[in-house]
Amino acid sequence: MTQKQIDSMSLTERLTARTPKFFQKLKIIGISLAAAASALLAAPVALPAIVVTIAGYLAVTGTVISAVSQATVES
C-alpha cells in the first residue's frame, strides 16, 4: 500500500485495516492499563487521593495508546 493510498483512507477503513505487530502489542498494553485503572477507580474501598489521581491518568493514557495503535495501518 502506498502512502497516497493510506492518506486517502477513511477512518473506518483505517480502523479495519491490518495493524503492524508492534502496534498490536502496544494496543494490548494500553487496554491493560485502562482496565487496571478502571479497577482501581471502581474499588469499593477508600483509596488515597494520589492513587485515584494516578489511576485517572492511567485510564486516559491507556485509552489514548489503544486508540492511536488501532489507527495505524501496515504499508
Side-chain angles (χ1 to χ4, degrees):
M1 186 177 296
T2 66
Q3 186 63 40
K4 189 167 182 90
Q5 290 171 326
I6 292 173
D7 291 341
S8 67
M9 294 173 79
S10 70
L11 183 61
T12 53
E13 290 172 334
R14 279 188 85 87
L15 295 177
T16 57
R18 286 187 49 88
T19 304
K21 200 168 192 78
F22 171 74
F23 287 102
Q24 289 175 355
K25 291 178 184 176
L26 202 59
K27 182 173 66 169
I28 291 170
I29 291 169
I31 291 170
S32 300
L33 275 176
S38 298
L40 286 174
L41 290 172
V45 295
L47 296 172
I50 189 72
V51 172
V52 175
T53 303
I54 291 172
Y57 288 130
L58 284 176
V60 171
T61 303
T63 304
V64 169
I65 288 172
S66 299
V68 169
S69 296
Q70 182 62 43
T72 57
V73 293
E74 205 169 69
S75 57

